[in-house]
Amino acid sequence: MISKDDAMFDVVALGEFLVDLAPLGNSSRGLVQFEANPGGAPANVVSCLSKLGKKTAFIGKVGSDMFGIMLKKALERQGICSRGLIADPGLNTTVAFVHLDEDGERSFSFYRKGCADIALHPDEIDKSLLNTRIFHLGSLSLTDDPVRSATLFALEKLADSATLISYDPNLRLELWESPKEARRRILEPMHRVDILKVSVEELEFITGTSDLASGANRLARDYEIAMVFVTMGAKGCYYRVGEHSGHVPAFDVQAVDATGAGDAFLGGILYHILEGLALAKPVCKNEIEKSIRFANAVGALVTTKLGAFWSMPGHEEIGQLMGNQVRG
């Protein structure tokens, strides 16, 4: 288990915290209605871990508008330290409209240009929040300055620490000026990463191959990443951890909204790392796959509800799914 002191956080995430406007049926006049949910992949990860009983914090920026006030209250209600959340009176909180297809798969339309999440400056980071066992980031905080500089500043401050780095190259090509720029920037922090979660599409974008074993092995070898997890949606997860690799099937659930499933999966993995799943010493294949099965259950349960931030399951719900359903 990773050692810690009383002032240390278990997981601190830096990045986008925004409002997901998710479709919620039609009004009596036939117009689409939307529900405002807290969103943003890094925030979803710490929401998951907080629900599982871990000490978490979030670093980012919102506007001091009605959405920003809502998001700060959401962190506090979920038990996440909000000290690192900056409210800027001159900027609007970032908004994403969520589009769901009939299978619950989602796409997004972002209203982000000139908004708060990309305006976080390095000198606005509360350095006391970097006293953490795991630091988590995603690639959307690398799209623009000053938040890109803030993200790299945090990584630099952690360079000589024992903090583990968790990374989700959450690919949203519409937020980058070009695919070439996206790939270059996404790879920039990769040499600092200990725990990597990618989707099949992200793996192919980064490595140029759709072969899961080849792509995962390449990332682990070229960037010396201890743990690589390739999420496959309803097909489960492929992994490369140390010398072990393999596939763990997903749980069969009735999905209504896939938003945050990957974030929930990663939260489940980080929970097991905090509980003792080792990076620095040999670990048995059974222990790895037990942890992934737990993470698959967390990710599956999130898809059965609308939204992500408030849909993270607790231990009882996870245990019920794992106990009631054998692997497919």
Side-chain angles (χ1 to χ4, degrees), residues 136-199:
H136 175 67
L137 71 149
S139 66
L140 296 197
S141 62
L142 300 172
T143 60
D144 298 87
D145 261 325
V147 70
R148 177 167 57 232
S149 295
T151 304
L152 297 177
F153 170 81
L155 287 174
E156 182 182 345
K157 288 295 179 183
L158 291 167
D160 296 323
S161 74
T163 298
L164 299 174
I165 305 300
S166 164
Y167 185 37
D168 177 7
N170 192 18
L171 185 62
R172 299 284 182 266
L173 279 176
E174 65 271 26
L175 298 180
W176 296 89
E177 64 178 52
S178 69
K180 181 179 179 180
E181 175 71 1
R183 186 177 184 277
R184 183 175 75 86
R185 291 294 186 183
I186 284 171
L187 288 174
E188 194 167 358
M190 201 71 80
H191 281 290
R192 288 281 293 116
V193 172
D194 301 293
I195 307 141
L196 178 70
K197 195 270 313 171
V198 292
S199 68

Side-chain angles (χ1 to χ4, degrees), residues 16 121 240 296 314:
E16 69 277 8
H121 288 260
R240 166 70 188 268
N296 280 348

Side-chain angles (χ1 to χ4, degrees), residues 309-321:
F309 188 89
W310 295 127
S311 299
M312 298 299 170
H315 287 285
E316 183 177 355
E317 192 178 1
I318 297 165
Q320 287 176 351
L321 179 62

Side-chain angles (χ1 to χ4, degrees), residues 179-236:
K180 181 179 179 180
E181 175 71 1
R183 186 177 184 277
R184 183 175 75 86
R185 291 294 186 183
I186 284 171
L187 288 174
E188 194 167 358
M190 201 71 80
H191 281 290
R192 288 281 293 116
V193 172
D194 301 293
I195 307 141
L196 178 70
K197 195 270 313 171
V198 292
S199 68
V200 175
E201 295 77 17
E202 289 156 358
L203 180 75
E204 184 172 5
F205 179 80
I206 293 168
T207 65
T209 179
S210 59
D211 183 274
L212 302 186
S214 176
N217 290 346
R218 188 181 306 174
L219 288 170
R221 181 192 67 238
D222 293 352
Y223 299 100
E224 299 182 346
I225 300 172
M227 294 184 166
V228 178
F229 302 95
V230 185
T231 52
M232 305 164 63
K235 295 180 180 179

Side-chain angles (χ1 to χ4, degrees), residues 18-22 35-40 44 94-98 108 259 308:
L18 48 83
V19 171
D20 281 338
L21 291 174
E35 181 179 67
N37 288 303
N44 290 337
T94 305
V95 173
F97 281 88
V98 183
F108 298 90
T259 304

Side-chain angles (χ1 to χ4, degrees), residues 298-309:
V298 180
L301 286 165
V302 167
T303 71
T304 64
K305 307 167 190 174
L306 290 174
F309 188 89

